[in-house]
């Protein structure tokens, strides 16, 4: 599941069941989801600054080209510290050193999204992901051309922001390979990951996959919330094939928003 799958829900406050239903994917006659939810369908009203006080730590374990359940968190972006964990397997025999469930292009998409998260404000990060997942998902996720086009559509300076260096490397007019046929040919010639992703992006990918493996997470998407409310200090929920599992606080996107708001309120300074 992509990140963009995970984050975008509703505005602050309570959400009616009708609104919550509108977040679900369209279904065919057999009840199967036809298209994935996207992360930030609307970002014009996202806050540009964070409220005072501490934020809620949220980790999303995902895959960039997986169409599983998408969680929308529009109204709570300014209340969370978001970390990403990508689900894959370390494999030194692969050009990128990683095996991804949906192929090597997904590994590159994972690296691109880690670079986006590292170099952009959250609201811009979400907006860029929404663009990347807008049509024909998973489409060209993992290709530099798409990532750059969507970033620049959201007024991101590709090189000035650090994105270009993270994904492509030095600004020398050349580009890393993005066509997987070309990528595989280059890898077979022994040039490996250096022709696929820049050093920073590759390092972020390996680090993320290693951390996810150490956490023992294998299902996309898994949502982990650091809690100051519940015993044990952690809430974990899995959204798999559109089904919410192990969610003691509810089984809908609106419940996720409610939990974040409750945790955030608990962290805020109390007035005398």
């Amino acid at each position: 599941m992509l990140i963009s799958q995970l984050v975008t829900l509703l505005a602050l406050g309570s959400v009616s069941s009708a609104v919550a239903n509108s977040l679900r994917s369209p279904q065919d006659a057999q009840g199967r989801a036809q298209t994935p939810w996207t992360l930030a369908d609307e970002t014009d009203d996202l806050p540009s600054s964070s409220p005072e006080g501490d934020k809620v730590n949220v980790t999303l374990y995902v895959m960039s080209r997986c169409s599983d359940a998408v969680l929308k968190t529009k109204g709570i972006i300014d209340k969370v510290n978001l970390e990403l964990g990508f689900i894959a397997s370390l494999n030194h025999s692969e050009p990128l050193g990683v095996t991804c469930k949906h192929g090597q292009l997904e590994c590159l998409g994972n690296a691109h999204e880690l670079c986006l998260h590292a170099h952009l404000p959250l609201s811009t990060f979400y907006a860029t992901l929404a663009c990347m997942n807008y049509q024909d998902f998973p489409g060209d996720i993992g290709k530099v051309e798409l990532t750059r086009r969507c970033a620049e559509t959201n007024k991101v300076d590709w090189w000035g922001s650090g994105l270009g260096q993270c994904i492509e490397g030095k600004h020398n007019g050349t580009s890393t390979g993005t066509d997987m046929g070309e990528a595989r040919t280059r890898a077979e010639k022994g040039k490996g990951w250096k022709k696929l992703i820049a050093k920073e992006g590759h390092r972020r990918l390996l680090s993320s996959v290693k951390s996810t493996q150490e956490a023992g997470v294998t299902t996309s998407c898994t949502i982990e919330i650091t809690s100051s409310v519940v015993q044990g200090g952690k809430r974990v929920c899995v959204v798999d094939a559109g089904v919410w599992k192990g969610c003691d606080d509810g089984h809908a996107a609106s419940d996720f928003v409610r939990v974040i708001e409750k945790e955030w309120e608990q962290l805020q300074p109390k007035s005398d």
Side-chain angles (χ1 to χ4, degrees), residues 116-184:
L116 290 169
H117 179 255
H119 291 280
L120 302 181
L122 272 182
S123 58
T124 308
F125 166 70
Y126 292 141
T128 303
L129 286 174
C131 170
M132 291 167 63
N133 293 283
Y134 180 66
Q135 291 182 329
D136 301 324
F137 175 85
D140 289 337
I141 292 174
K143 295 187 177 183
V144 174
E145 291 84 353
L146 174 66
T147 304
R148 180 167 183 169
R149 182 171 71 248
C150 285
E152 292 179 341
T153 295
N154 285 284
K155 298 180 171 55
V156 173
D157 182 334
W158 183 251
W159 295 106
S161 66
L163 267 181
Q165 289 86 340
C166 187
I167 294 174
E168 293 193 87
K170 295 181 180 180
H171 186 189
N172 57 8
T174 62
S175 175
T176 55
T178 57
D179 175 81
M180 293 317 295
E182 176 187 2
R184 186 164 297 280

Side-chain angles (χ1 to χ4, degrees), residues 16-214:
S16 69
S17 59
V19 175
N21 287 338
S22 71
L23 295 176
R24 300 193 179 100
S25 301
Q27 295 183 335
D28 61 17
Q30 285 72 43
R32 294 171 300 190
Q34 294 177 325
T35 57
W37 304 341
T38 54
L39 180 121
D41 294 323
E42 300 175 15
T43 56
D44 291 342
D45 58 347
L46 292 176
S48 57
S49 60
S50 300
E52 306 242 342
D54 291 333
K55 298 183 180 183
V56 182
N57 293 326
V58 178
T59 302
L60 304 179
Y61 294 99
V62 293
M63 304 175 192
S64 64
R65 291 177 64 87
C66 172
S67 60
D68 266 341
V70 178
L71 176 62
K72 302 191 171 190
T73 61
K74 184 171 120 182
I76 54 175
I77 286 176
D78 62 339
K79 295 185 177 183
V80 301
N81 289 317
L82 178 67
E83 294 296 329
L84 305 178
F86 281 94
I87 299 171
S89 301
L90 296 175
N91 183 348
H92 296 301
S93 68
E94 292 279 5
L96 289 168
V98 172
T99 297
C100 297
K101 181 176 180 179
H102 302 96
Q104 191 166 252
L105 195 57
E106 178 171 81
C107 295
L108 291 170
N110 296 349
H112 290 189
E113 292 184 5
L114 286 165
C115 288
L116 290 169
H117 179 255
H119 291 280
L120 302 181
L122 272 182
S123 58
T124 308
F125 166 70
Y126 292 141
T128 303
L129 286 174
C131 170
M132 291 167 63
N133 293 283
Y134 180 66
Q135 291 182 329
D136 301 324
F137 175 85
D140 289 337
I141 292 174
K143 295 187 177 183
V144 174
E145 291 84 353
L146 174 66
T147 304
R148 180 167 183 169
R149 182 171 71 248
C150 285
E152 292 179 341
T153 295
N154 285 284
K155 298 180 171 55
V156 173
D157 182 334
W158 183 251
W159 295 106
S161 66
L163 267 181
Q165 289 86 340
C166 187
I167 294 174
E168 293 193 87
K170 295 181 180 180
H171 186 189
N172 57 8
T174 62
S175 175
T176 55
T178 57
D179 175 81
M180 293 317 295
E182 176 187 2
R184 186 164 297 280
T185 298
R186 288 176 169 176
E188 288 170 353
K189 291 181 178 179
K191 296 185 178 180
W193 63 267
K194 292 184 179 180
K195 288 296 181 179
L196 306 177
I197 188 73
K199 182 177 181 180
E200 181 187 345
H202 187 239
R203 176 177 56 81
R204 291 186 181 279
L205 174 64
L206 294 178
S207 176
S208 178
V209 172
K210 182 176 183 290
S211 296
T212 300
Q213 286 189 318
E214 290 174 348

